[in-house]
Amino acid sequence: MRLGLRNWLFIITVTITCCLCLMAGVWQINRAEEKKQLIQRTMAYLTVNNPKKINGRLLNAGSVRISLSGKFKTDSITFLDNRIRNGRAGYDVFSLFSPDQLDLVFLVNLGWIAAPMYREKLPTVSLPEQTVLLTGLWVRLPESISMGDTNLENIGTFKRVQFLNPIELFPRITTVLPGVVVSDSLIRNLSPAEIYKPRLGPEGHYGYAVQWFLMAIALFIALLFWLFRGMGR
């Protein structure tokens, strides 16, 4: 079988497409491994009870379970929109927390609350003004809630956002850490806070990888079939 220019272009195109599918599959596997390591780092946390040992270097190393006394900044309550639990729309509620013995400010996930019937209203949440003991797991701010425009809305004394960006939300407070404390403490009217997981877990990436590899195999088989059929003529 003599191959003309069009045939060679077809073979080259299919070959390149197969290679791209294989590369996409490998990329998905790498992403799955990254997500597995992220989840493992989150669960393999350190426990620190001495405030003097908490610093930026320690927190950047991974997840840290903390126990700190301090006060909430009651004027910083922020509602993260579009958080669904058990089929109900609602908000994750956040606030800033200033420990007594540290020149740092923590962003705290206080818990979840159902959204009211009308969009222009926000639920009522009140925080203690006195010194309290905050316990929880400090984790890096997940991409699923931070990689996007905040679309900040000021409703009364509260804020409503679509994504969290502490620098944009609290520009005057330069000591806010780039992470969030998933609080153990229960605030009245709030359901317990949950540790954030990636939107697409390792299993999802593995599934996409299999699809890309199957597509590459299918294209390769189709190319072989086309070549052998042409040789038999």
Side-chain angles (χ1 to χ4, degrees):
M1 178 181 80
R2 295 186 61 184
L3 298 177
L5 178 60
R6 289 185 178 180
N7 292 334
W8 277 113
L9 289 175
F10 174 75
I11 293 173
I12 293 171
T13 300
V14 173
T15 302
I16 292 175
T17 304
C18 285
C19 292
L20 291 175
C21 290
L22 291 173
M23 291 171 61
V26 171
W27 182 84
Q28 289 289 350
I29 289 178
N30 291 334
R31 286 293 291 167
E33 292 300 317
E34 290 175 4
K35 294 291 180 68
K36 286 175 64 176
Q37 293 175 9
L38 175 62
I39 294 172
Q40 290 171 357
R41 285 198 303 268
T42 300
M43 302 313 297
Y45 53 80
L46 299 173
T47 299
V48 179
N49 295 318
N50 185 353
K52 295 181 180 179
K53 293 184 178 180
I54 296 178
N55 52 51
R57 180 180 299 178
L58 173 66
L59 296 176
N60 286 331
S63 303
V64 180
R65 177 159 288 280
I66 62 172
S67 179
L68 297 170
S69 62
K71 290 184 178 181
F72 287 108
K73 293 182 177 294
T74 56
D75 59 348
S76 66
I77 296 176
T78 303
F79 291 81
L80 179 61
D81 203 0
N82 297 317
R83 310 307 298 177
I84 308 299
R85 283 199 191 182
N86 300 322
R88 288 194 69 182
Y91 301 95
D92 281 349
V93 185
F94 293 81
S95 178
L96 296 179
F97 181 83
S98 295
D100 290 337
Q101 303 179 43
L102 292 175
D103 188 23
L104 298 172
V105 178
F106 290 86
L107 180 65
V108 182
N109 179 352
L110 300 167
W112 180 90
I113 192 169
M117 182 178 299
Y118 298 104
R119 175 74 178 170
E120 60 271 15
K121 294 183 179 180
L122 287 174
T124 300
V125 175
S126 59
L127 298 178
E129 297 184 358
Q130 71 274 17
T131 299
V132 297
L133 180 66
L134 172 67
T135 60
L137 184 66
W138 189 93
V139 297
R140 294 173 184 173
L141 202 60
E143 293 182 358
S144 60
I145 64 171
S146 62
M147 297 298 287
D149 294 330
T150 58
N151 294 323
L152 173 63
E153 300 174 74
N154 291 297
I155 302 176
T157 59
F158 298 144
K159 298 179 176 66
R160 179 167 61 198
V161 296
Q162 303 302 313
F163 290 91
L164 284 175
N165 184 332
I167 296 176
E168 182 177 341
L169 289 174
F170 312 107
R172 296 182 180 179
I173 303 176
T174 59
T175 53
V176 179
L177 293 166
V180 60
V181 177
V182 182
S183 174
D184 296 335
S185 309
L186 291 178
I187 303 297
R188 188 165 56 89
N189 298 333
L190 296 184
S191 299
E194 294 181 347
I195 297 176
Y196 289 105
K197 297 180 180 179
R199 287 183 176 179
L200 185 63
E203 297 81 5
H205 286 289
Y206 285 130
Y208 283 126
V210 170
Q211 293 179 17
W212 283 115
F213 290 143
L214 289 176
M215 188 178 299
I217 292 172
L219 286 171
F220 182 69
I221 292 175
L223 178 60
L224 290 178
F225 177 79
W226 178 79
L227 289 171
F228 283 121
R229 190 181 64 172
M231 291 174 61
R233 292 179 179 178

